[in-house]
Amino acid sequence: MLILVINCGSSSVKYELLNVAKETSICGGIVECIGGVRSSVAHEVVDGELIKRRIPCKDHHEAIEIVRDTLIDPRHGVLSDVSDVAGVGHRVVHGGEEFHSSTLIDRSVIRSIEKFSELAPLHNPPALEGIKSCMKIFELVPQVAVFDTAFHHAMPEYAYCYGIPYKYYKKYAIRKYGFHGTSHRYVSIKAALVLKKPLEEVNLITAHLGNGCSITAVAGGKSIDTSMGFTPLDGLLMGTRSGSIDPAVVFFLMKKENLTAEDISDALNKKSGFLGVSGVSNDIRDILEAIKEGNKRAKLAYDIFVYRIKKYIGSYAAVLGNVDAVVFTAGIGENVPEIKNEMKKSFSYLVESGTRFMTIRTNEELLIAKDTYKIITEQTK
Ligand code: AMP
Protein backbone atom coordinates (compact mmCIF):
# COMPACT_ATOMS: atom_id res chain seq x y z
CA MET A 1 0.00 0.00 0.00
CA LEU A 2 1.69 3.23 -1.17
CA ILE A 3 0.91 6.48 0.62
CA LEU A 4 2.10 9.89 -0.51
CA VAL A 5 2.84 12.36 2.29
CA ILE A 6 2.67 16.06 1.45
CA ASN A 7 4.03 18.85 3.65
CA CYS A 8 3.40 22.32 2.22
CA GLY A 9 5.32 25.35 3.49
CA SER A 10 4.85 28.93 2.35
CA SER A 11 7.24 28.49 -0.59
CA SER A 12 7.96 24.78 -0.67
CA VAL A 13 6.29 21.39 -1.02
CA LYS A 14 8.01 18.41 0.60
CA TYR A 15 6.85 14.97 -0.44
CA GLU A 16 7.59 11.38 0.45
CA LEU A 17 6.20 8.15 -0.94
CA LEU A 18 6.07 5.36 1.63
CA ASN A 19 5.24 1.69 1.71
CA VAL A 20 3.19 1.48 4.88
CA ALA A 21 3.19 -2.31 5.23
CA LYS A 22 6.99 -2.39 5.13
CA GLU A 23 7.32 0.96 6.95
CA THR A 24 9.84 2.04 4.32
CA SER A 25 10.36 5.16 2.27
CA ILE A 26 10.47 4.69 -1.51
CA CYS A 27 11.37 8.17 -2.61
CA GLY A 28 11.01 11.76 -1.54
CA GLY A 29 11.95 15.27 -2.37
CA ILE A 30 11.15 18.94 -2.28
CA VAL A 31 9.91 21.59 -4.68
CA GLU A 32 11.49 24.84 -3.48
CA CYS A 33 11.27 28.58 -4.09
CA ILE A 34 7.69 28.36 -5.36
CA GLY A 35 6.73 31.63 -6.98
CA GLY A 36 10.37 32.75 -7.27
CA VAL A 37 12.78 32.78 -10.18
CA ARG A 38 14.89 29.99 -8.67
CA SER A 39 12.21 27.30 -8.35
CA SER A 40 13.69 23.82 -8.30
CA VAL A 41 12.87 20.21 -7.56
CA ALA A 42 15.15 17.75 -5.77
CA HIS A 43 14.05 14.12 -5.95
CA GLU A 44 15.73 11.14 -4.36
CA VAL A 45 14.87 7.48 -4.64
CA VAL A 46 16.02 5.54 -1.57
CA ASP A 47 19.45 4.06 -2.37
CA GLY A 48 19.33 5.94 -5.68
CA GLU A 49 20.82 9.14 -6.98
CA LEU A 50 19.65 12.63 -6.06
CA ILE A 51 18.19 14.42 -9.07
CA LYS A 52 18.04 18.21 -8.95
CA ARG A 53 16.35 20.31 -11.61
CA ARG A 54 15.61 24.01 -11.99
CA ILE A 55 12.00 24.22 -13.05
CA PRO A 56 9.48 27.07 -13.35
CA CYS A 57 6.81 26.84 -10.64
CA LYS A 58 4.43 29.71 -9.99
CA ASP A 59 2.26 28.28 -7.19
CA HIS A 60 1.49 25.27 -5.00
CA HIS A 61 -0.80 23.78 -7.65
CA GLU A 62 2.08 23.68 -10.14
CA ALA A 63 4.33 22.29 -7.42
CA ILE A 64 1.96 19.37 -6.84
CA GLU A 65 1.84 18.80 -10.62
CA ILE A 66 5.64 18.66 -10.57
CA VAL A 67 5.47 16.09 -7.73
CA ARG A 68 3.03 13.95 -9.76
CA ASP A 69 5.11 14.24 -12.94
CA THR A 70 8.28 13.36 -11.02
CA LEU A 71 6.66 10.29 -9.47
CA ILE A 72 5.51 8.95 -12.85
CA ASP A 73 8.52 10.14 -14.86
CA PRO A 74 9.66 7.16 -16.97
CA ARG A 75 13.37 7.78 -16.14
CA HIS A 76 13.44 8.71 -12.44
CA GLY A 77 9.88 7.96 -11.37
CA VAL A 78 8.68 5.03 -9.29
CA LEU A 79 5.02 4.82 -10.34
CA SER A 80 3.37 3.87 -13.61
CA ASP A 81 0.24 5.85 -12.76
CA VAL A 82 -1.05 8.13 -9.99
CA SER A 83 -3.72 5.53 -9.20
CA ASP A 84 -0.87 3.42 -7.70
CA VAL A 85 -1.07 5.81 -4.75
CA ALA A 86 -3.67 4.53 -2.27
CA GLY A 87 -3.93 7.74 -0.26
CA VAL A 88 -2.41 11.16 0.28
CA GLY A 89 -1.61 12.30 3.83
CA HIS A 90 -1.26 16.03 4.44
CA ARG A 91 0.57 17.63 7.34
CA VAL A 92 -1.66 20.41 8.65
CA VAL A 93 -0.28 22.56 11.46
CA HIS A 94 -3.46 23.84 13.11
CA GLY A 95 -6.61 21.86 13.75
CA GLY A 96 -7.98 24.31 16.33
CA GLU A 97 -10.19 22.77 19.01
CA GLU A 98 -12.03 20.65 16.47
CA PHE A 99 -9.62 17.93 15.39
CA HIS A 100 -8.54 15.47 18.06
CA SER A 101 -7.11 13.03 15.54
CA SER A 102 -6.33 12.62 11.86
CA THR A 103 -9.31 12.81 9.54
CA LEU A 104 -10.48 12.04 6.02
CA ILE A 105 -10.73 15.31 4.09
CA ASP A 106 -14.09 16.47 2.76
CA ARG A 107 -15.61 19.90 2.15
CA SER A 108 -16.42 20.51 5.80
CA VAL A 109 -12.85 19.62 6.88
CA ILE A 110 -11.54 22.07 4.29
CA ARG A 111 -13.83 24.78 5.68
CA SER A 112 -12.54 24.11 9.20
CA ILE A 113 -8.88 24.24 8.12
CA GLU A 114 -9.73 27.51 6.39
CA LYS A 115 -11.27 28.81 9.62
CA PHE A 116 -8.14 27.92 11.61
CA SER A 117 -5.93 29.79 9.13
CA GLU A 118 -6.44 32.79 11.37
CA LEU A 119 -4.62 30.90 14.13
CA ALA A 120 -1.78 29.73 11.84
CA PRO A 121 -1.59 32.29 9.03
CA LEU A 122 1.83 31.11 7.85
CA HIS A 123 1.06 27.40 7.87
CA ASN A 124 -2.59 26.53 7.20
CA PRO A 125 -3.05 28.48 3.93
CA PRO A 126 -0.25 26.65 2.05
CA ALA A 127 -1.46 23.30 3.46
CA LEU A 128 -4.93 24.11 2.12
CA GLU A 129 -3.53 24.95 -1.30
CA GLY A 130 -1.76 21.60 -1.29
CA ILE A 131 -4.93 19.76 -0.27
CA LYS A 132 -7.08 21.45 -2.91
CA SER A 133 -4.49 20.81 -5.62
CA CYS A 134 -4.05 17.15 -4.64
CA MET A 135 -7.82 16.67 -4.77
CA LYS A 136 -7.70 17.76 -8.41
CA ILE A 137 -4.42 16.17 -9.45
CA PHE A 138 -4.82 12.86 -7.57
CA GLU A 139 -8.52 12.97 -8.30
CA LEU A 140 -9.83 9.64 -7.05
CA VAL A 141 -7.25 9.17 -4.32
CA PRO A 142 -8.56 9.75 -0.76
CA GLN A 143 -6.90 12.58 1.17
CA VAL A 144 -6.27 12.65 4.91
CA ALA A 145 -5.29 15.56 7.17
CA VAL A 146 -2.88 14.92 10.07
CA PHE A 147 -2.74 17.82 12.53
CA ASP A 148 0.26 19.01 14.55
CA THR A 149 -2.08 20.11 17.30
CA ALA A 150 -4.15 16.90 17.58
CA PHE A 151 -1.90 14.98 19.99
CA HIS A 152 -2.18 17.77 22.56
CA HIS A 153 -5.95 17.59 22.77
CA ALA A 154 -5.80 15.50 25.91
CA MET A 155 -4.38 18.48 27.85
CA PRO A 156 -6.56 19.36 30.82
CA GLU A 157 -8.29 22.74 30.89
CA TYR A 158 -6.03 24.08 33.64
CA ALA A 159 -2.99 23.35 31.43
CA TYR A 160 -4.34 24.90 28.23
CA CYS A 161 -6.21 27.94 29.60
CA TYR A 162 -4.31 31.19 29.96
CA GLY A 163 -4.86 33.52 32.90
CA ILE A 164 -6.48 36.19 30.73
CA PRO A 165 -10.13 37.33 30.65
CA TYR A 166 -12.13 34.20 29.86
CA LYS A 167 -14.16 36.06 27.24
CA TYR A 168 -11.08 36.03 24.96
CA TYR A 169 -11.01 32.27 25.09
CA LYS A 170 -14.71 32.12 24.28
CA LYS A 171 -14.53 34.77 21.57
CA TYR A 172 -11.23 33.95 19.83
CA ALA A 173 -10.28 30.48 21.15
CA ILE A 174 -7.10 31.92 22.68
CA ARG A 175 -5.56 29.01 24.57
CA LYS A 176 -2.55 26.72 24.48
CA TYR A 177 -2.71 24.31 21.50
CA GLY A 178 0.81 22.93 21.29
CA PHE A 179 2.60 21.81 18.13
CA HIS A 180 4.99 19.11 16.81
CA GLY A 181 2.27 16.69 17.95
CA THR A 182 3.01 14.11 15.26
CA SER A 183 6.66 13.97 16.31
CA HIS A 184 5.86 13.77 20.05
CA ARG A 185 3.34 11.01 19.33
CA TYR A 186 5.75 9.09 17.07
CA VAL A 187 8.60 9.07 19.61
CA SER A 188 6.16 8.20 22.42
CA ILE A 189 5.06 5.08 20.50
CA LYS A 190 8.70 4.16 19.84
CA ALA A 191 9.74 4.80 23.44
CA ALA A 192 6.96 2.50 24.71
CA LEU A 193 8.34 -0.23 22.42
CA VAL A 194 11.88 0.32 23.74
CA LEU A 195 10.56 0.25 27.33
CA LYS A 196 8.53 -2.89 26.49
CA LYS A 197 5.42 -1.37 28.06
CA PRO A 198 1.99 -0.60 26.57
CA LEU A 199 1.76 3.01 25.41
CA GLU A 200 -1.17 3.58 27.80
CA GLU A 201 1.14 2.82 30.71
CA VAL A 202 4.13 5.02 29.94
CA ASN A 203 4.97 8.43 31.36
CA LEU A 204 7.43 10.35 29.22
CA ILE A 205 9.00 13.73 28.70
CA THR A 206 9.58 14.12 24.96
CA ALA A 207 11.92 16.87 23.73
CA HIS A 208 11.60 17.76 20.04
CA LEU A 209 14.70 19.91 19.53
CA GLY A 210 15.03 21.04 15.92
CA ASN A 211 14.85 24.46 14.33
CA GLY A 212 11.58 24.71 16.24
CA CYS A 213 11.71 23.21 19.74
CA SER A 214 9.08 21.93 22.15
CA ILE A 215 8.88 19.65 25.17
CA THR A 216 5.83 17.59 26.07
CA ALA A 217 4.74 15.81 29.24
CA VAL A 218 3.15 12.50 28.22
CA ALA A 219 1.07 10.64 30.84
CA GLY A 220 -0.26 7.21 29.92
CA GLY A 221 0.67 7.86 26.28
CA LYS A 222 -1.25 11.17 26.15
CA SER A 223 0.04 14.74 26.04
CA ILE A 224 -0.93 16.53 29.24
CA ASP A 225 1.20 19.65 28.80
CA THR A 226 3.58 21.09 26.24
CA SER A 227 5.89 24.07 25.99
CA MET A 228 4.49 25.67 22.83
CA GLY A 229 1.25 27.59 23.19
CA PHE A 230 -1.28 29.50 21.16
CA THR A 231 1.41 29.65 18.47
CA PRO A 232 4.77 27.89 18.04
CA LEU A 233 6.52 30.94 19.55
CA ASP A 234 6.23 29.96 23.21
CA GLY A 235 8.53 27.90 25.41
CA LEU A 236 12.10 26.95 24.62
CA LEU A 237 14.70 29.09 22.89
CA MET A 238 14.74 28.11 19.19
CA GLY A 239 16.68 28.78 15.98
CA THR A 240 15.12 32.18 15.37
CA ARG A 241 12.22 32.22 17.88
CA SER A 242 12.46 33.74 21.33
CA GLY A 243 10.38 31.19 23.23
CA SER A 244 8.77 32.47 26.45
CA ILE A 245 9.21 36.11 27.36
CA ASP A 246 7.34 38.43 29.70
CA PRO A 247 4.47 39.72 27.49
CA ALA A 248 5.16 43.21 28.82
CA VAL A 249 8.38 43.23 26.74
CA VAL A 250 6.12 43.38 23.67
CA PHE A 251 4.34 46.62 24.64
CA PHE A 252 7.58 48.14 25.97
CA LEU A 253 9.44 47.51 22.70
CA MET A 254 6.51 48.61 20.56
CA LYS A 255 6.48 51.93 22.37
CA LYS A 256 10.23 52.50 22.59
CA GLU A 257 11.07 51.44 19.03
CA ASN A 258 7.81 52.56 17.48
CA LEU A 259 7.14 49.04 16.20
CA THR A 260 3.94 47.69 14.70
CA ALA A 261 2.47 44.33 15.75
CA GLU A 262 3.94 42.88 12.56
CA ASP A 263 7.42 44.28 13.33
CA ILE A 264 7.44 42.76 16.79
CA SER A 265 6.13 39.45 15.48
CA ASP A 266 8.94 39.45 12.94
CA ALA A 267 11.54 40.23 15.64
CA LEU A 268 10.33 37.46 17.96
CA ASN A 269 9.77 34.83 15.27
CA LYS A 270 12.60 35.46 12.85
CA LYS A 271 15.33 37.49 14.58
CA SER A 272 15.47 36.00 18.07
CA GLY A 273 16.52 32.65 19.50
CA PHE A 274 20.02 31.35 18.75
CA LEU A 275 20.32 33.89 15.95
CA GLY A 276 19.17 36.91 17.92
CA VAL A 277 21.14 36.23 21.11
CA SER A 278 24.39 35.10 19.46
CA GLY A 279 24.32 37.28 16.35
CA VAL A 280 25.98 34.24 14.69
CA SER A 281 23.42 31.79 13.33
CA ASN A 282 20.14 29.95 13.90
CA ASP A 283 21.99 26.62 13.56
CA ILE A 284 23.41 24.98 16.68
CA ARG A 285 26.38 23.65 14.67
CA ASP A 286 27.53 27.24 14.05
CA ILE A 287 26.82 28.13 17.69
CA LEU A 288 29.01 25.23 18.91
CA GLU A 289 31.80 26.27 16.49
CA ALA A 290 31.60 29.88 17.68
CA ILE A 291 31.75 28.74 21.32
CA LYS A 292 34.99 26.88 20.53
CA GLU A 293 36.36 30.12 19.11
CA GLY A 294 35.52 31.90 22.38
CA ASN A 295 32.36 33.73 21.27
CA LYS A 296 30.62 34.73 24.54
CA ARG A 297 27.22 35.50 23.04
CA ALA A 298 27.13 32.12 21.32
CA LYS A 299 27.85 30.57 24.73
CA LEU A 300 25.08 32.66 26.28
CA ALA A 301 22.58 31.48 23.60
CA TYR A 302 23.58 27.86 24.23
CA ASP A 303 23.31 28.32 28.01
CA ILE A 304 19.80 29.84 27.74
CA PHE A 305 18.79 26.93 25.48
CA VAL A 306 20.06 24.26 27.88
CA TYR A 307 18.77 26.04 31.00
CA ARG A 308 15.24 26.18 29.64
CA ILE A 309 15.28 22.51 28.65
CA LYS A 310 16.33 21.76 32.22
CA LYS A 311 13.51 23.89 33.66
CA TYR A 312 10.88 22.17 31.52
CA ILE A 313 12.13 18.68 32.31
CA GLY A 314 12.11 19.54 36.01
CA SER A 315 8.61 20.97 35.94
CA TYR A 316 7.19 18.14 33.83
CA ALA A 317 8.84 15.57 36.12
CA ALA A 318 6.96 17.27 38.98
CA VAL A 319 3.70 17.18 37.02
CA LEU A 320 4.11 13.52 36.00
CA GLY A 321 5.45 12.13 39.28
CA ASN A 322 6.89 9.00 37.78
CA VAL A 323 8.88 9.33 34.51
CA ASP A 324 9.76 6.21 32.50
CA ALA A 325 11.92 8.04 29.99
CA VAL A 326 13.09 11.42 28.76
CA VAL A 327 13.29 11.26 24.97
CA PHE A 328 15.36 13.53 22.70
CA THR A 329 14.53 13.89 19.02
CA ALA A 330 14.76 16.08 15.86
CA GLY A 331 17.84 17.78 14.37
CA ILE A 332 19.45 18.89 17.64
CA GLY A 333 17.97 16.18 19.87
CA GLU A 334 19.28 13.44 17.57
CA ASN A 335 22.69 14.89 16.78
CA VAL A 336 23.94 16.79 19.83
CA PRO A 337 24.36 14.10 22.53
CA GLU A 338 25.91 16.64 24.93
CA ILE A 339 22.43 17.94 25.72
CA LYS A 340 21.06 14.53 26.69
CA ASN A 341 24.22 13.82 28.71
CA GLU A 342 23.97 17.11 30.54
CA MET A 343 20.32 16.46 31.41
CA LYS A 344 21.16 12.99 32.60
CA LYS A 345 23.72 14.51 34.97
CA SER A 346 21.34 17.22 36.16
CA PHE A 347 18.57 14.71 36.82
CA SER A 348 20.63 12.00 38.49
CA TYR A 349 17.78 11.57 40.99
CA LEU A 350 15.51 10.53 38.10
CA VAL A 351 18.16 8.16 36.71
CA GLU A 352 18.50 6.58 40.16
CA SER A 353 14.76 6.01 40.31
CA GLY A 354 14.81 4.23 36.92
CA THR A 355 14.13 6.99 34.35
CA ARG A 356 15.86 6.27 31.04
CA PHE A 357 17.34 9.08 28.92
CA MET A 358 17.13 8.09 25.25
CA THR A 359 17.46 9.42 21.71
CA ILE A 360 14.85 8.38 19.16
CA ARG A 361 14.92 9.47 15.53
CA THR A 362 11.60 11.08 14.67
CA ASN A 363 9.68 10.10 11.53
CA GLU A 364 6.60 12.28 11.18
CA GLU A 365 6.10 11.20 7.56
CA LEU A 366 5.78 7.55 8.57
CA LEU A 367 3.16 8.37 11.20
CA ILE A 368 1.24 10.55 8.70
CA ALA A 369 1.36 7.66 6.20
CA LYS A 370 0.20 5.14 8.83
CA ASP A 371 -2.69 7.36 9.95
CA THR A 372 -3.68 7.87 6.31
CA TYR A 373 -3.59 4.14 5.62
CA LYS A 374 -5.63 3.37 8.75
CA ILE A 375 -8.30 5.94 7.93
CA ILE A 376 -8.71 4.96 4.29
CA THR A 377 -8.86 1.23 5.06
CA GLU A 378 -11.46 1.83 7.80
CA GLN A 379 -13.42 3.89 5.29
CA THR A 380 -13.49 1.16 2.68
CA LYS A 381 -14.51 -1.61 5.13
P1 AMP B 1 14.97 19.99 12.24
O1 AMP B 1 14.04 21.15 12.44
O2 AMP B 1 14.61 18.78 13.04
O3 AMP B 1 15.25 19.68 10.79
O4 AMP B 1 16.38 20.46 12.85
C1 AMP B 1 17.17 21.44 12.25
C2 AMP B 1 18.24 21.91 13.23
O5 AMP B 1 18.90 20.78 13.84
C3 AMP B 1 19.37 22.68 12.54
O6 AMP B 1 19.06 24.05 12.48
C4 AMP B 1 20.55 22.43 13.47
O7 AMP B 1 20.53 23.36 14.54
C5 AMP B 1 20.30 21.04 14.03
N1 AMP B 1 21.04 19.97 13.34
C6 AMP B 1 20.70 19.33 12.19
N2 AMP B 1 21.64 18.41 11.86
C7 AMP B 1 22.59 18.47 12.81
C8 AMP B 1 23.83 17.78 13.04
N3 AMP B 1 24.26 16.84 12.21
N4 AMP B 1 24.55 18.11 14.13
C9 AMP B 1 24.11 19.07 14.98
N5 AMP B 1 22.96 19.75 14.82
C10 AMP B 1 22.20 19.46 13.76
Side-chain angles (χ1 to χ4, degrees):
M1 176 81 82
L2 301 182
I3 301 289
L4 178 64
V5 173
I6 296 285
N7 182 354
C8 289
S10 55
S11 64
S12 70
V13 172
K14 284 191 202 148
Y15 64 94
E16 188 168 336
L17 186 72
L18 297 106
N19 182 324
V20 176
K22 293 185 182 159
E23 299 201 354
T24 53
S25 173
I26 292 163
C27 67
I30 183 166
V31 184
E32 280 182 300
C33 302
I34 297 169
V37 284
R38 299 172 57 82
S39 307
S40 66
V41 57
H43 173 76
E44 191 169 17
V45 178
V46 172
D47 298 330
E49 64 176 317
L50 173 69
I51 298 143
K52 284 186 170 177
R53 282 178 298 145
R54 290 281 290 279
I55 193 157
C57 177
K58 69 173 189 306
D59 55 23
H60 285 74
H61 188 82
E62 274 193 9
I64 301 284
E65 283 179 336
I66 292 167
V67 172
R68 175 203 54 199
D69 295 346
T70 306
L71 291 175
I72 58 173
D73 182 281
R75 284 161 302 157
H76 327 294
V78 289
L79 302 176
S80 48
D81 189 79
V82 289
S83 62
D84 294 346
V85 174
V88 181
H90 295 266
R91 178 188 177 210
V92 182
V93 165
H94 220 303
E97 291 197 298
E98 193 172 323
F99 296 106
H100 297 204
S101 57
S102 305
T103 187
L104 193 70
I105 299 173
D106 59 17
R107 276 174 199 280
S108 85
V109 171
I110 288 182
R111 273 198 299 276
S112 295
I113 298 173
E114 239 151 22
K115 187 171 78 190
F116 302 133
S117 285
E118 209 184 0
L119 301 177
L122 300 178
H123 297 102
N124 274 25
L128 262 176
E129 297 218 5
I131 289 169
K132 288 178 182 168
S133 302
C134 281
M135 287 175 102
K136 287 188 192 133
I137 294 164
F138 297 88
E139 203 190 338
L140 298 171
V141 181
Q143 315 276 325
V144 168
V146 179
F147 299 93
D148 268 21
T149 46
F151 183 56
H152 302 297
H153 263 281
M155 279 190 292
E157 207 175 5
Y158 56 77
Y160 72 67
C161 261
Y162 291 127
I164 59 172
Y166 196 70
K167 64 178 180 190
Y168 296 136
Y169 167 58
K170 294 310 278 177
K171 204 167 167 187
Y172 303 114
I174 295 178
R175 50 160 281 181
K176 182 193 282 246
Y177 289 98
F179 298 88
H180 295 141
T182 313
S183 177
H184 289 292
R185 180 158 65 101
Y186 178 84
V187 298
S188 298
I189 295 166
K190 284 278 166 193
L193 289 174
V194 174
L195 294 163
K196 298 192 171 65
K197 276 178 126 180
L199 181 61
E200 302 71 39
E201 286 175 24
V202 291
N203 280 3
L204 305 165
I205 298 171
T206 53
H208 177 107
L209 309 176
N211 198 30
C213 302
S214 65
I215 298 200
T216 295
V218 178
K222 292 187 169 153
S223 165
I224 56 158
D225 201 357
T226 191
S227 60
M228 281 181 169
F230 180 58
T231 73
L233 184 56
D234 203 2
L236 298 171
L237 187 90
M238 305 175 223
T240 60
R241 284 174 245 165
S242 63
S244 317
I245 58 164
D246 178 346
V249 172
V250 174
F251 346 123
F252 184 88
L253 271 180
M254 285 172 90
K255 241 192 225 163
K256 287 281 179 193
E257 299 264 318
N258 205 15
L259 301 178
T260 62
E262 244 165 58
D263 296 334
I264 195 88
S265 166
D266 196 58
L268 297 180
N269 276 296
K270 297 187 185 152
K271 296 177 185 150
S272 297
F274 278 136
L275 177 68
V277 177
S278 71
V280 173
S281 166
N282 65 320
D283 192 314
I284 199 165
R285 288 168 283 200
D286 301 327
I287 300 291
L288 293 171
E289 271 307 306
I291 293 172
K292 273 193 213 148
E293 287 158 12
N295 186 316
K296 289 208 169 95
R297 272 172 50 193
K299 174 79 168 69
L300 174 62
Y302 182 81
D303 288 346
I304 299 171
F305 180 66
V306 171
Y307 180 64
R308 287 201 189 173
I309 295 171
K310 198 184 288 183
K311 284 210 294 188
Y312 271 104
I313 293 178
S315 62
Y316 287 166
V319 166
L320 289 166
N322 158 54
V323 184
D324 294 295
V326 181
V327 183
F328 294 84
T329 194
I332 299 173
E334 292 165 17
N335 295 297
V336 188
E338 293 86 336
I339 292 170
K340 181 179 75 179
N341 295 340
E342 175 142 5
M343 292 306 134
K344 219 170 151 178
K345 244 193 267 162
S346 302
F347 292 98
S348 53
Y349 75 94
L350 284 180
V351 177
E352 279 159 23
S353 63
T355 303
R356 307 251 307 259
F357 282 68
M358 55 176 78
T359 305
I360 294 178
R361 192 165 287 278
T362 194
N363 192 344
E364 291 159 272
E365 290 74 18
L366 178 59
L367 198 51
I368 294 173
K370 286 175 93 168
D371 277 10
T372 303
Y373 171 74
K374 189 163 173 261
I375 286 170
I376 60 177
T377 43
E378 273 166 7
Q379 204 67 23
T380 48
K381 260 183 203 164

